[in-house]
Amino acid sequence: MSRWIRLFLLVLTGLTACDFVGTWPQASAAADLEAVRDRGELVWGADQEGGGPHVFPDPDNPVMLRGFEVDLAAMLAEELGVLARFQQGQWDRLPLLLGRSTDCILNGIELTAQRNRDYRCSRPYYAYALQLLARRDSPLAAFEQLLTTAPRGRWQVGVLTGSAAEIFMRSRHDLAVDVIGYDGTIDSMEQLKTGVLDAAVMDDCIFTFYADRFAELRAVGRPFAGGFYTILTAHNTPQLAVAIDAGLGRMIADGRLQTLYDRWDMAGRQQILMLRDAAEIPASKPQSIWALCRETVPLLLESAAMTLFLSCISFPLAILVGLSVAIGRLHGPVSLRPLLVGYVELVRGTPLMLQLYAIFFLLPQIGLALPAIVAAILGLALNYSAYESEIYRAGLKAVSLGQFEAALSLGMTKWQALRYVLVPQAVRIVMPAVTNDFIAMFKDTSVCSVITVIELTKRYSVLALSTGRIMELALATAILYGAMSWPLSLLSHWFEHRLARSASAR
Amino acid sequence: MNGSRAVITVEALSKSRTGVPVLANICLTVAEGSVTVVVGSSGSGKSTLLRCLNGLETFDFGAVAIAGHRLSAGPHAPQLLEHVRRDVGMLFQQFNLFPHLSVIENVVLAPRVVLRLTAEESRARGLALLDRVGLRAFAEARPATLSGGQQQRVAIARALAIQPRVVLFDEPTSALDPAMSADVLDVIVDLAGSGQTMVVVTHDHDFARKAAAWVVQIDAGKIVRQGLVDEIFQPT
Ligand SMILES: Nc1ncnc2c1ncn2[C@@H]1O[C@H](COP(=O)(O)OP(=O)(O)O)[C@@H](O)[C@H]1O
Ligand SMILES: [Mg+2]
């Protein structure tokens, strides 16, 4: 009885905690200017996976970081009379570092009304524009073509999750596009190159930086819609924010910022002209709880349905493959058995995330481009098939040899004996373990967000960031997970009970 | 053996396990419609002999001709085994009913999947057999709810459902208490009366007498004596 209650609580607490733990390395509270000076360090948060020209590992010495924002951070720290220290974080969750371990976020963060509400946004330090990209062989020649469907259906367009490009593309309901969010800009260029995507939208400076590496890609038309990059600080460090603004102002006035942009081939003069005239962006108003519900609940439900869909399709597949592998290992041709052992050990020995990456990002390199959903289902099914095969192997071995011999003595073939006598009994024996695994898979679907699938956890993370309502949404998400896995726990419990009863009856 | 046709002929069969002889130079003939009772102390090789007859185990030397099939030393081809087992039924000390199926499902499974009879045909046959072992009322019950004696009678009905030419019984009553044993043995005696060829491993002298059996005594893997029941079991 207390088992599934405990499980439920575990899901609840685990969920609220796990999503952000990754981005909170150690909670050395950030402090205002005074404390930064005492410490002698300005801790700035960025994502080195985000890539150039912002922040990226030096190709010659990957321990070192390079990029115009690395230089900018150093310059800014110098202005404050301290040293700059880098703090790594996942790009779309960087703002969550504020107030924990990090003084400011400096990583091509676009100035939006919503960010202006939730954080202190510095004066603009760079003017970006959005650029549409396609392969050189693509028929896409102008942005307006996105208004009508592509030859093979809706245009598949990649964007960086949480970026202005994503916000812009998702707001254009008039376009015949499916917007697919990636955790890194380079990922979307890779997928565009291999033909998984039809197009990508990103900040122009990023494409300019990578244009040589992705020679197969070209800019489609002129950059459109644009805005400014800003440095984020927390609301409770106003003096730091003022000092940063003042520092930026001096760097713009005395030409140091222009030199910096020229060093990174980012059209310095043009930048400075735009920054000088940068418009104020008003902060958006905090939402009422009703508005929040109206906006987020349908999306959360839709993503919960995706979570259910992924597990309900993948798990039966996993069972099918797992059972076949188990039967093959126990009763199949002897020459096949080492192969099956190898399969199980390989799949069990590597993380699900790596397998999903391999299926989604590596298979296209050999010409097998799978849609994200298909890749997710395949990855989950393969991963769990290894575990299920071990469970079924144990289950089959638990059926007595006498049952097998009795079936054979009735003239059945080995396969008939398996089908009618051994497997049905093994299935009953392993039912509790299998149901438990189903609950586990159910939660593992969240890993699929690394290959652009938006399921419940990913949706939560995106919504929490865009609305700033981290706690309320965590609770709603936990309740949704609980509501979905609770019946499964009850089912598992019931199977266990039934098994125990039939075992004692025998 | 009254000159009737042999259904089983065992020719100089020998078998050892990990170098230890289990059966040595067994020669045996079982006539059509006869009952052969195999006796011997525990570990003497009775089960092994029976299991060699329907191919659950292989042997090293000799040959077995059974129900028109021929098993040679060494591994057997799977197809040959399926043919042999269609004509040779086997009952075990531990019944081995399929616990996930009802009584009638246990009985009709082989007619359905091995003989490919229709559902109606196999059900009619199954119910008739349950009638014969006195358990028709339990057709829909689960095996686990039956007594040991009832379970063994269901197992007999199940074995008979594919109409084998020979039925092998390996100590069918040694897991049962005397009252239940009697019920089971009555069924087997009744079967013998109807002319079913059988080889029965059992220590029950009464049964041997009632079935007018040919008795074969095994000791340490060798046949040490065989003859009519009254010659072997002399009242002492
Ligand atoms: N599966 C087995 N593995 C190894 N030895 C066995 C096995 N089954 C039986 N034996 C050995 O073979 C011999 C004959 O056994 P068995 O035919 O079962 O005798 P019985 O049925 O007359 O009691 C015994 O010595 C027994 O220990
Ligand atoms: Mg025995």
Side-chain angles (χ1 to χ4, degrees):
Chain A
M1 178 81 170
S2 67
R3 255 174 53 99
W4 42 258
I5 292 179
R6 234 174 339 167
L7 187 86
F8 176 73
L9 288 177
L10 209 70
V11 173
L12 205 83
T13 49
L15 193 105
T16 38
C18 76
D19 197 38
F20 294 108
V21 162
T23 51
W24 290 344
Q26 63 272 334
S28 70
D32 210 353
L33 189 57
E34 198 78 5
V36 171
R37 292 222 161 104
D38 286 349
R39 199 191 316 139
E41 276 181 340
L42 175 70
V43 182
W44 62 289
D47 184 0
Q48 55 180 315
E49 269 185 73
H54 305 281
V55 180
F56 57 97
D58 188 338
D60 299 327
N61 179 12
V63 191
M64 298 294 292
L65 293 179
R66 280 160 52 77
F68 86 82
E69 280 163 351
V70 178
D71 294 346
L72 181 59
M75 214 179 257
L76 202 58
E78 202 183 313
E79 281 291 312
L80 304 184
V82 294
L83 292 171
R85 185 157 68 80
F86 168 78
Q87 170 64 55
Q88 168 66 28
Q90 164 69 36
W91 191 80
D92 60 345
R93 284 170 232 176
L94 285 173
L96 296 171
L97 295 174
L98 289 175
R100 298 278 149 182
S101 58
T102 307
D103 301 311
C104 65
I105 305 301
L106 172 51
N107 197 190
I109 305 288
E110 300 101 338
L111 185 52
T112 61
Q114 172 261 320
R115 284 187 180 125
N116 213 4
R117 176 194 68 206
D118 296 338
Y119 313 99
R120 285 287 296 252
C121 293
S122 74
R123 64 178 294 168
Y125 69 88
Y126 181 83
Y128 71 91
L130 297 180
Q131 177 67 57
L132 178 66
L133 305 185
R135 275 182 312 282
R136 292 193 178 281
D137 59 13
S138 159
L140 196 59
F143 188 87
E144 289 67 38
Q145 276 174 262
L146 297 181
L147 287 164
T148 50
T149 51
R152 56 170 210 193
R154 290 166 72 81
W155 301 93
Q156 303 295 303
V157 181
V159 293
L160 177 64
T161 300
S163 68
E166 182 179 36
I167 296 169
F168 177 85
M169 292 305 287
R170 291 206 193 278
S171 71
R172 288 288 301 263
H173 299 293
D174 54 331
L175 300 177
V177 300
D178 290 330
V179 180
I180 299 158
Y182 286 80
D183 282 346
T185 317
I186 301 173
D187 290 339
S188 65
M189 284 190 271
E190 280 290 347
Q191 297 279 85
L192 177 54
K193 183 176 107 180
T194 51
V196 177
L197 295 173
D198 301 312
V201 176
M202 62 190 62
D203 298 353
D204 53 352
C205 59
I206 300 176
F207 177 61
T208 309
F209 186 81
Y210 284 108
D212 294 334
R213 178 163 147 197
F214 291 94
E216 305 85 347
L217 307 186
R218 64 180 163 81
V220 177
R222 297 284 301 159
F224 54 98
F228 298 98
Y229 289 163
T230 182
I231 301 173
L232 301 183
T233 49
H235 277 304
N236 61 4
T237 55
Q239 291 164 10
L240 178 62
V242 169
I244 287 176
D245 275 347
L248 281 175
R250 285 193 292 277
M251 281 152 35
I252 291 171
D254 65 16
R256 272 179 296 162
L257 199 55
Q258 181 175 339
T259 324
L260 190 55
Y261 287 129
D262 284 335
R263 185 191 304 164
W264 288 98
D265 203 6
M266 292 164 80
R269 169 97 185 124
Q270 222 178 329
Q271 278 297 323
I272 295 305
L273 293 180
M274 284 192 278
L275 291 183
R276 216 178 46 189
D277 305 331
E280 277 282 318
I281 296 196
S284 63
K285 289 204 182 64
Q287 277 171 311
S288 75
I289 192 83
W290 297 118
L292 180 73
C293 286
R294 207 168 336 107
E295 185 184 307
T296 59
V297 166
L299 288 171
L300 284 175
L301 286 176
E302 182 189 298
S303 312
M306 172 60 86
T307 290
L308 263 184
F309 172 79
L310 283 178
S311 17
C312 290
I313 301 291
S314 310
F315 202 69
L317 283 174
I319 285 183
L320 212 69
V321 176
L323 183 57
S324 311
V325 169
I327 291 174
R329 279 182 69 177
L330 290 173
H331 299 281
V334 177
S335 56
L336 192 67
R337 294 180 196 182
L339 243 84
L340 296 174
V341 175
Y343 170 80
V344 170
E345 293 310 323
L346 178 75
V347 173
R348 278 203 307 179
T350 50
L352 172 60
M353 191 189 285
L354 192 70
Q355 293 161 8
L356 289 170
Y357 263 124
I359 292 170
F360 192 56
F361 291 107
L362 297 186
L363 284 188
Q365 311 272 356
I366 56 165
L368 191 65
L370 296 174
I373 300 266
V374 178
I377 289 171
L378 198 67
L380 284 170
L382 286 184
N383 185 266
Y384 271 77
S385 71
Y387 296 96
E388 297 324 294
S389 82
E390 287 299 277
I391 291 178
Y392 277 102
R393 201 161 65 96
L396 283 167
K397 282 167 113 174
V399 181
S400 75
L401 184 63
Q403 291 284 314
F404 193 39
E405 291 187 340
L408 293 180
S409 299
L410 289 168
M412 289 188 214
T413 65
K414 183 163 81 174
W415 301 113
Q416 286 173 332
L418 277 165
R419 174 165 167 206
Y420 296 108
V421 177
L422 296 191
V423 171
Q425 292 186 58
V427 164
R428 281 168 173 77
I429 292 170
V430 303
M431 204 47 106
V434 168
T435 318
N436 273 332
D437 265 12
F438 184 55
I439 299 172
M441 171 188 273
F442 184 69
K443 288 174 282 167
D444 264 357
T445 51
S446 60
V447 181
C448 296
S449 66
V450 301
I451 57 167
T452 77
V453 173
I454 300 184
E455 40 58 64
L456 189 49
T457 299
K458 182 67 177 180
R459 179 68 76 190
Y460 160 67
S461 151
V462 169
L463 287 178
L465 286 162
S466 68
T467 62
R469 307 295 274 267
I470 297 171
M471 276 318 294
E472 294 90 329
L473 290 174
L475 196 67
T477 307
I479 289 171
L480 278 175
Y481 269 111
M484 291 189 288
S485 63
W486 200 357
L488 291 172
S489 303
L490 289 176
L491 192 69
S492 152
H493 188 69
W494 179 78
F495 279 133
E496 241 167 276
H497 188 70
R498 200 186 64 162
L499 192 74
R501 221 177 36 204
S502 74
S504 63
R506 210 170 299 158
Chain B
M1 319 254 314
N2 314 338
S4 54
R5 239 160 21 105
V7 181
I8 305 176
T9 311
V10 181
E11 298 159 17
L13 184 150
S14 297
K15 173 181 177 71
S16 32
R17 274 201 194 97
T18 57
V20 183
V22 183
L23 295 172
N25 199 29
I26 301 281
C27 295
L28 186 67
T29 308
V30 173
E32 178 114 59
S34 73
V35 177
T36 302
V37 165
V38 180
V39 295
S41 54
S42 176
S44 57
K46 307 180 296 292
S47 296
T48 308
L49 174 59
L50 244 56
R51 292 162 62 83
C52 286
L53 296 185
N54 85 335
L56 281 180
E57 295 204 32
T58 58
F59 45 89
D60 309 323
F61 298 102
V64 172
I66 185 163
H69 310 284
R70 189 173 175 81
L71 295 170
S72 326
H76 310 303
Q79 267 194 318
L80 172 62
L81 288 178
E82 287 152 29
H83 288 127
V84 168
R85 289 166 184 161
R86 263 180 222 194
D87 293 328
V88 181
M90 176 119 173
L91 283 125
F92 304 84
Q93 191 178 329
Q94 292 304 332
F95 332 134
N96 290 332
L97 291 182
F98 306 135
H100 60 298
L101 301 177
S102 70
V103 163
I104 185 69
E105 286 166 344
N106 262 274
V107 179
V108 301
L109 181 60
R112 292 285 287 135
V113 308
V114 178
L115 305 182
R116 302 194 178 286
L117 300 187
T118 65
E120 296 76 45
E121 278 176 301
S122 31
R123 187 170 169 88
R125 182 184 283 194
L127 289 174
L129 283 166
L130 286 178
D131 221 8
R132 187 163 173 192
V133 300
L135 291 172
R136 190 178 174 131
F138 293 87
E140 306 304 330
R142 291 270 144 183
T145 63
L146 270 51
S147 74
Q150 290 169 327
Q151 291 194 39
Q152 191 63 296
R153 279 142 67 196
V154 173
I156 292 172
R158 180 176 73 175
L160 294 176
I162 53 170
Q163 301 180 332
R165 286 183 60 193
V166 190
V167 185
L168 312 174
F169 293 83
D170 190 1
E171 304 200 35
T173 59
S174 54
L176 303 175
D177 60 42
M180 288 196 239
S181 296
D183 289 347
V184 172
L185 289 174
D186 284 348
V187 169
I188 303 177
V189 169
D190 169 60
L191 210 53
S194 70
Q196 173 74 55
T197 313
M198 296 189 282
V199 179
V200 186
V201 175
T202 182
H203 299 287
D204 197 293
H205 294 191
D206 272 355
F207 166 77
R209 285 201 186 86
K210 278 191 206 157
W214 180 258
V215 179
V216 176
Q217 187 179 352
I218 295 189
D219 190 38
K222 295 193 185 75
I223 296 182
V224 289
R225 233 149 55 108
Q226 53 183 313
L228 286 172
V229 59
D230 297 323
E231 299 165 23
I232 305 288
F233 299 143
Q234 272 145 17
T236 43

